[in-house]
Amino acid sequence: MKRYLQIVASLAALMLPATSAAWAEPAKGGVIDVATIGEPPTLDPMASTADLVGIVTQHIYETLYTFDKDWGIAPLLAADMPQISPDGLAYTIPLGTGIKFHDGSDMNSADVIASLQRWMKIATRGKQAAEVIAAIDAVDDHAVKIILKKPFAPLLSLLSLNNAAAIIIPSENAGQEPLTSFIGTGPYMLKDRKPDQYIQLARFDGYKSRDGEPNGYGGARKQYLDEIRFVPVPDANTRVEGAVAGQFAYVDSLPVESFDKISGGKTQPIILKPFGWPVFVLNTKQGLNSDIRIRKAIQAALAPNDMLLAAFGSKDFFAVDGDMYPEGFAWHTDVGTDAYKPDGDTEAAAALLTEAGYDGKPLRILTSRQYEFHYKMAQVAAEYLKAAGFQVQLDVVEWATLTKNRTDPALWDIYITHSPFLPEPSLTGIMSDSSPGWWVSDRKHQVLEAFNAESDPAKRVALFADVQKAIYDEVPAFKVGDFNALAAQAPTLKGVRPAPWPYFWNAYLEGN
């Protein structure tokens, strides 16, 4: 694993702020192919929380704010940080000037208001914000004011995320549902889409970059590449072979056990450590998991240690950890995690099933092989659940089908996904009442409202412990552990900063 440690060390160096010398202007030109885990179900990032949708569409659309390299909030389409009233109820946001949409029209406050109203109507995170937003008004053509019903600390983070995203689009397109005109303000615009073949983006010559240097998702966004083509490669082994052969400039979401094989190929392995957490989301709305005793039985039956070992092979690539955020994150706490049993507790699970009067109805687990580690965890989980007394049905589908089916509570009991460690806990899908899983309870609302109403960072950290305990007590989801992610990058592709949602503005081809 010496090679592995060298890669992790080099990754840490890559995450340092770019210097002026490092960002001397490269030559423009070139086309790159980026291999992704499949075909995105939509190019409307308001309508989906799928990471794949965010990865592609963040090049086309932009939000008012984004995240810098330290996961702080940074202006993007906003000219500056908002002016917040002393009572925390009014956010006055100045807008950038001279910003154009891909159709050549200028962005103004009418576009922002129409876009945010659409976001509050159709995006899960927008619906979450809509519960506390009283009004959004124009101050003038280049400023808007958001009025809240009560203080809401996560607002700017919700406005910054790239999935279920508060993208700004022309006001005349905001009534489209689903979105049919894919026009944003981003550095690249949609040129062509051949389903299951590629999504082709081309440089938008009218793009106005922010000044300064690149800073995470914030700062300057330069368009050195002529085109970016996102190529769906659903089979994990095919992605690995493509990485080894140098078929792609960048390959996302590779099985970590392929690290050594990729190291000997034509692309370089890139590891993000820690990347995030695999999660089993439970359907609390209807079916088996509407009964808390069944959810508790699942929680007791699952064995994270064996699930993670099957999914990632070596402890270099995972950690058995029930805390929602690992050590090193401000939100780290172990409150409530007594229910997290690394090796499971079959007897306790069986007793809970008996108490619930379980009648043998199949527990339907919705998963996909495009993220191979999801599927491997599902296989191990099924065996532990069977040992506890469950009948288990594995429904293995394409990722695009999974993201569609999970919106229908009649089709599943558990679906498997994963998430990076998000900078704001309230961005996590289960925090929204309307997110698939549909966790709604008085306890949730009580602890989450207290957490979201508090603006003091230290006090919010303490209040998050109550949120984590509610998650463990009510089991809307099961965190399996922590994991590292593996990608591959061509040695000629420069300027790419490792990130949970890889982006290719500021990227260039050496020697182009």
Side-chain angles (χ1 to χ4, degrees):
M1 279 294 119
K2 181 179 179 182
R3 171 69 173 157
Y4 166 83
L5 294 173
Q6 289 172 338
I7 294 293
V8 172
S10 65
L11 174 63
L14 282 170
M15 288 184 164
L16 293 174
T19 64
S20 298
W23 282 94
E25 290 292 315
K28 288 188 175 183
V31 177
I32 64 168
D33 284 349
V34 176
T36 66
I37 61 101
E39 181 75 13
T42 179
L43 291 182
D44 179 357
M46 286 193 193
S48 177
T49 59
D51 285 344
L52 177 58
V53 174
I55 288 169
V56 175
T57 60
Q58 65 187 341
H59 298 81
I60 303 172
Y61 312 102
E62 294 178 313
T63 48
L64 292 173
Y65 295 96
T66 189
F67 297 108
D68 65 22
K69 64 180 179 61
D70 298 317
W71 294 107
I73 306 296
L76 186 52
L77 292 176
D80 206 341
M81 297 301 290
Q83 294 179 353
I84 304 175
S85 62
D87 61 7
L89 297 180
Y91 287 62
T92 302
I93 301 173
L95 305 178
T97 58
I99 295 172
K100 292 189 175 294
F101 290 109
H102 298 156
D103 62 3
S105 62
D106 292 317
M107 184 196 79
N108 59 33
S109 57
D111 301 308
V112 172
I113 292 170
S115 298
L116 294 183
Q117 287 173 339
R118 182 180 190 269
W119 176 64
M120 291 190 294
K121 178 182 177 184
I122 72 170
T124 56
R125 294 187 176 93
K127 293 175 182 178
Q128 190 178 353
E131 295 175 3
V132 297
I133 293 178
I136 305 175
D137 299 316
V139 176
D140 55 38
D141 281 350
H142 297 293
V144 298
K145 180 179 288 188
I146 300 176
I147 307 296
L148 304 181
K149 301 172 186 176
K150 56 187 177 182
F152 187 65
L155 178 63
L156 293 181
S157 292
L158 288 168
L159 292 174
S160 300
L161 200 64
N162 69 3
N163 59 63
I167 58 167
I168 306 305
I169 58 178
S171 57
E172 57 268 26
N173 296 342
Q176 296 176 2
E177 191 179 339
L179 196 63
T180 55
S181 300
F182 305 106
I183 295 171
T185 61
Y188 289 86
M189 56 186 180
L190 182 64
K191 181 178 180 180
D192 194 14
R193 181 182 189 183
K194 301 286 187 188
D196 298 317
Q197 295 183 47
Y198 59 80
I199 296 169
Q200 186 176 14
L201 308 184
R203 180 192 296 116
F204 173 41
D205 290 329
Y207 182 70
K208 183 179 180 181
S209 172
R210 295 193 69 88
D211 295 332
E213 296 178 349
N215 184 2
Y217 294 93
R221 294 185 169 189
K222 300 298 181 67
Q223 313 148 278
Y224 300 120
L225 299 169
D226 291 335
E227 294 185 357
I228 306 165
R229 294 201 313 173
F230 292 94
V231 181
V233 186
D235 182 72
N237 291 328
T238 305
R239 289 200 301 281
V240 171
E241 295 303 325
V244 171
Q247 182 181 354
F248 306 100
Y250 192 94
V251 184
D252 191 34
S253 192
L254 291 164
V256 293
E257 62 267 23
S258 65
F259 178 88
D260 289 337
K261 185 173 184 178
I262 291 166
S263 298
K266 294 183 178 179
T267 54
Q268 300 169 341
I270 303 294
I271 288 184
L272 284 82
K273 178 183 181 179
F275 174 82
W277 48 296
V279 58
F280 284 38
V281 180
L282 280 58
N283 177 1
T284 67
K285 189 172 187 177
Q286 68 182 68
L288 284 174
N289 287 330
S290 61
D291 186 332
I292 181 62
R293 296 169 297 182
I294 298 292
R295 301 201 302 272
K296 286 282 191 181
I298 293 169
Q299 182 184 60
L302 294 177
N305 196 35
D306 282 354
M307 293 162 67
L308 291 164
L309 193 61
F312 301 108
S314 167
K315 289 190 176 180
D316 288 312
F317 296 105
F318 72 85
V320 180
D321 179 16
D323 306 336
M324 300 303 293
Y325 284 84
E327 290 186 17
F329 284 80
W331 307 110
H332 171 71
T333 176
D334 62 1
V335 171
T337 60
D338 290 347
Y340 180 87
K341 305 294 185 184
D343 297 312
D345 188 337
T346 302
E347 290 185 4
L352 283 161
L353 277 186
T354 299
E355 180 186 337
Y358 175 65
D359 61 2
K361 184 177 181 180
L363 180 72
R364 299 161 301 168
I365 301 178
L366 184 61
T367 191
S368 169
R369 296 200 69 164
Q370 284 160 269
Y371 291 110
E372 186 69 10
F373 69 98
H374 291 187
Y375 177 68
K376 290 179 178 178
M377 287 189 299
Q379 289 181 304
V380 175
E383 296 307 311
Y384 275 93
L385 290 163
K386 289 174 186 175
F390 281 101
Q391 297 294 318
V392 179
Q393 175 182 316
L394 278 187
D395 294 331
V396 185
V397 298
E398 295 289 306
W399 183 248
T401 303
L402 185 149
T403 61
K404 177 177 180 292
N405 288 357
R406 70 185 178 186
T407 63
D408 185 345
L411 297 180
W412 60 277
D413 300 302
I414 295 172
Y415 84 84
I416 302 175
T417 186
H418 67 271
S419 173
F421 293 110
L422 299 171
E424 161 59 54
S426 290
L427 296 175
T428 305
I430 58 172
M431 303 303 188
S432 170
D433 289 355
S434 61
S435 182
W438 303 282
W439 178 35
V440 179
S441 75
D442 291 341
R443 169 85 175 279
K444 171 190 176 178
H445 292 160
Q446 178 185 6
V447 297
L448 198 57
E449 286 173 10
F451 174 66
N452 288 338
E454 179 55 63
S455 59
D456 182 273
K459 292 179 181 178
R460 294 195 79 219
V461 168
L463 288 167
F464 179 66
D466 297 332
V467 176
Q468 179 170 285
K469 190 171 190 312
I471 292 169
Y472 270 96
D473 287 349
E474 300 199 343
V475 205
F478 182 88
K479 180 195 174 184
V480 184
D482 307 334
F483 77 103
N484 306 331
L486 177 65
Q489 181 176 323
T492 55
L493 181 62
K494 305 295 184 181
V496 178
R497 296 292 180 257
W501 307 288
Y503 55 91
F504 302 97
W505 57 83
N506 298 328
Y508 61 95
L509 290 169
E510 189 175 55
N512 181 60

